[in-house]
Amino acid sequence: MLGVLTDPILPVFAIALIGYVSGRTGWVGAEDARVLNRFAMTVLLPIFLFRAIAAAPWPAFELVPLLAYVGVEALVYAAGFAVARNLFGRSRQEALLLGFAGVFVNNAYYTLPIAQFLGEPETTLAITSVIMVDSILAFAGTMIALEVMAGRDAGSSAGLVLKRVLRLPLLWAIAAAAVFAAGGLPLPGPLDTFAGFVGRAASPTALFAMGVILSVTPLRPEPLALLVIAVKVAVFPLALWAAIVVLAPGTAPDGFLLSAAGPTGAMAFSMALLYEVRTRTIMQVTVWTTVATLATLAWLA
């Protein structure tokens, strides 16, 4: 576990530290961070996901435990939204993103490297399947919901809201990737090179922007942040374990549990920044789940 923390996890998150220092010194401001985040979310990330989804080994994924993961994720997500909205009075957009933060994991740059470091192909494949499905359902679904909410808040008609949704670059990237994935088609060499080169910049850019905003965010967790942290660290993994035991008793649950036990991914914060949603509680959840899951991941690994 120490080996995978020193490389690649800490080097990956070093760019967020650089963003934090840049924000604290005033070299980069919050508005600069918003521009960078928008570029990452609307240009770089769709290209990254297009390549990842198109090249994923879809036929090798285990369907039943993956469906159990998605089902538990949906229930916990919905419960998180309801609690944040109805008990804590947060806006629809913030409540949605707090529900998302309770289930969406930093798998690509955290739990997947751990599995690869441990040299466990089944665990690696399970985590890869979660990354792919989460990208399409949880992440893209949340962005669509935020786009719909933004359209309604602006007084747009149903037709204009639909037009806003259909203009999302993420949806076009997923649709294009689905053509390659469904047909079993390899990406042409030049396209693969382009998507790989450009897509790799998505995470560093978003993490740098997050570091800048972190520099002006109080880290003492609010009560709602503590609740979401508890859901992410304990409730979601335990509920998933119970679901796999009942629905897929012959399945090795390690990869799926490792996925569920990881820290909140930065995408919750990135979407909040993109749609001008309050980021304070979401940032606290992101930071403290990263700290809190060190122990759980070390035990699971």
Side-chain angles (χ1 to χ4, degrees):
M1 184 65 178
L2 181 60
V4 80
L5 282 174
T6 55
D7 187 18
I9 291 174
L10 290 181
V12 164
F13 281 92
I15 189 64
L17 176 61
I18 294 173
Y20 178 85
V21 173
S22 300
R24 292 290 290 180
T25 58
W27 183 60
V28 178
E31 190 55 39
D32 301 317
R34 288 187 175 88
V35 172
L36 285 171
N37 184 74
R38 183 173 184 81
F39 175 59
M41 295 290 288
T42 59
V43 178
L44 302 177
L45 187 63
I47 294 171
F48 170 81
L49 288 178
F50 161 74
R51 182 173 185 259
I53 294 169
W58 291 94
F61 294 160
E62 291 186 274
L63 183 59
V64 175
L66 187 57
L67 288 175
Y69 188 101
V70 172
V72 171
E73 184 177 48
L75 290 173
V76 175
Y77 189 153
F81 168 80
V83 169
R85 177 71 174 149
N86 298 320
L87 297 185
F88 288 86
R90 299 302 172 90
S91 70
R92 291 176 301 158
Q93 291 91 335
E94 187 182 3
L96 187 75
L97 287 171
L98 286 167
F100 178 77
V103 296
F104 191 81
V105 180
N106 184 8
N107 277 314
Y109 292 101
Y110 206 102
T111 58
L112 184 60
I114 292 174
Q116 292 171 335
F117 177 80
L118 295 173
E120 298 178 356
E122 289 186 4
T123 301
T124 299
L125 184 64
I127 294 173
T128 302
S129 70
V130 169
I131 293 171
M132 294 302 102
V133 172
D134 261 359
S135 298
I136 297 171
L137 297 181
F139 176 55
T142 300
M143 184 169 279
I144 290 170
L146 288 169
E147 196 68 37
V148 170
M149 290 176 183
R152 286 180 175 176
D153 289 346
S156 301
S157 65
L160 288 177
V161 170
L162 179 61
K163 186 177 180 180
R164 286 177 64 117
V165 170
L166 292 178
R167 289 176 59 189
L168 286 173
L170 183 63
L171 292 189
W172 288 99
I174 292 173
V179 173
F180 286 92
L185 304 173
L187 291 177
L191 178 59
D192 185 52
T193 300
F194 165 77
F197 173 71
V198 176
R200 278 191 292 270
S203 182
T205 305
L207 286 171
F208 179 85
M210 187 178 78
V212 174
I213 302 300
L214 177 62
S215 69
V216 294
T217 301
L219 286 182
R220 184 176 181 180
E222 304 168 348
L224 180 53
L226 290 173
L227 180 59
V228 178
I229 291 166
V231 168
K232 180 68 217 61
V233 174
V235 175
F236 181 35
L238 288 172
L240 176 63
W241 172 79
I244 291 177
V245 167
V246 173
L247 299 175
T251 303
D254 296 3
F256 297 99
L257 291 179
L258 196 63
S259 290
T264 295
M267 288 302 102
F269 163 81
S270 295
M271 284 193 286
L273 199 62
L274 179 64
Y275 286 94
E276 298 182 354
V277 177
R278 183 178 182 269
T279 61
R280 178 171 173 170
T281 308
I282 296 167
M283 177 69 82
Q284 291 171 354
V285 171
T286 304
V287 171
W288 288 113
T289 55
T290 301
V291 175
T293 54
L294 288 175
T296 55
L297 287 174
W299 178 69
L300 285 171

